[in-house]
Amino acid sequence: MTFHKNTDSEFLTPLKNRPGLTPRHMVKGEIKERIAAMENRNGKKHLMPILLTAVLLLTGSYYLFEIIMKDQHPHDAGEPTHQVPLKEGVEKESEEGPIEIAPLVLTDEESEAYASFSENLDQEILRSLSPMSIAKIYVQATFDEKDDVRYELYTDRPDYIMWTKEEDEQFSKQDRDNRRLTEETYNHLAEGEFVETGEGEGYIKYYRSEDPDSLMGFNLIRNENGIWQVAFMPIQ
């Protein structure tokens, strides 16, 4: 089999000078047209070498096109190339890890107010206390499982009451936080900062651990007599 230099060069020049990749069906069409032209010009004696060259060029162009297209479409940054679904019932482990519990310490004034309020539940005992002191007494009453004291620390403003004392007494122990969960929830509350958000409302902003994502908020409401009280479901 003999290849004619001039004929082959004439046939390959358009492909070499192609400005960009051409879809496979367009390349195939052009090849057929050039084969027909070669037949008319030189006869069928050159058909086999030209056809072989065309097949090789078509195959090479196809694979080159596939490789370049893959390089032109990389995965977006941050987009996973493969995702493995989590197994059923398996929860993602907490990144925060075990929390070191800081003990809740009442000041002398808070301890005295807590003891007095636990005896007679008189709201006037709380008048001189700050929102932080009210929150600490509420947490201490929760630790001590003094449900009646804890409930009386809730706001008595009609628009903010969520359930009655009778309903509160019917809550089962399983419905209440266990000791460890309560300690973790209110951990470092005493180190927080009170932020007043409006007339008679505010919250204590604190971090329950060193994790910056552990930001918590403890809501309080001042009643019509000017005494700060705890909002129902205070944690936000």
Side-chain angles (χ1 to χ4, degrees):
M1 182 179 295
T2 303
F3 287 82
H4 293 269
K5 182 177 181 181
N6 294 336
T7 303
D8 293 341
S9 176
E10 180 182 0
F11 175 76
L12 293 174
T13 297
L15 294 179
K16 292 179 180 179
N17 296 332
R18 187 180 305 277
L21 288 174
T22 305
R24 183 172 49 179
H25 69 279
M26 296 180 64
V27 174
K28 186 175 181 181
E30 292 182 12
I31 290 174
K32 286 183 178 180
E33 292 178 2
R34 294 192 175 277
I35 290 175
M38 292 300 102
E39 289 182 359
N40 294 334
R41 182 180 304 175
N42 301 315
K44 294 186 177 180
K45 62 180 181 179
H46 301 309
L47 178 59
M48 289 304 295
I50 293 173
L51 182 59
L52 179 59
T53 302
V55 171
L56 292 175
L57 285 172
L58 178 61
T59 303
S61 298
Y62 171 72
Y63 285 108
L64 180 60
F65 178 77
E66 291 293 326
I67 292 172
I68 294 178
M69 288 304 293
K70 287 182 180 179
D71 292 338
Q72 289 178 344
H73 295 281
H75 290 285
D76 294 336
E79 180 181 355
T81 57
H82 180 65
Q83 293 182 346
V84 179
L86 294 176
K87 296 180 180 179
E88 280 189 1
V90 177
E91 297 182 357
K92 181 180 179 182
E93 294 183 1
S94 173
E95 298 178 356
E96 191 173 356
I99 296 177
E100 183 177 352
I101 303 300
L104 179 68
V105 179
L106 301 181
T107 65
D108 291 342
E109 181 185 10
E110 292 165 350
S111 296
E112 183 178 346
Y114 176 50
S116 299
F117 186 73
S118 297
E119 290 181 4
N120 52 38
L121 304 178
D122 184 2
Q123 291 287 331
E124 285 300 317
I125 297 174
L126 309 176
R127 178 174 294 280
S128 62
L129 297 182
S130 67
M132 176 63 76
S133 294
I134 297 294
K136 289 173 64 179
I137 289 176
Y138 172 88
V139 174
Q140 188 62 58
T142 303
F143 287 160
D144 296 341
E145 297 184 356
K146 294 184 177 182
D147 295 338
D148 56 338
V149 176
R150 178 184 52 78
Y151 185 86
E152 292 299 328
L153 289 168
Y154 284 139
T155 179
D156 56 10
R157 288 175 59 176
D159 294 341
Y160 292 87
I161 295 176
M162 299 182 65
W163 59 82
T164 66
K165 188 173 183 178
E166 289 72 21
E167 291 171 334
D168 189 79
E169 292 172 351
Q170 294 175 4
F171 293 157
S172 65
K173 297 299 290 185
Q174 288 77 10
D175 293 332
R176 303 193 188 281
D177 295 339
N178 59 44
R179 174 78 184 208
R180 177 65 187 184
L181 182 57
T182 302
E183 289 176 340
E184 291 184 355
T185 300
Y186 300 122
N187 197 33
H188 296 295
L189 170 68
E191 301 170 18
E193 174 189 3
F194 180 69
V195 179
E196 193 163 358
T197 57
E199 185 177 357
E201 295 183 26
Y203 69 96
I204 297 173
K205 173 184 176 182
Y206 69 101
Y207 292 88
R208 67 191 185 104
S209 73
E210 296 181 356
D211 187 340
D213 293 330
S214 67
L215 179 63
M216 306 290 284
F218 187 100
N219 291 290
L220 296 107
I221 301 170
R222 187 160 48 195
N223 69 5
E224 297 175 354
N225 296 323
I227 300 173
W228 284 101
Q229 299 172 314
V230 178
F232 281 77
M233 301 178 67
I235 294 298
Q236 63 178 15

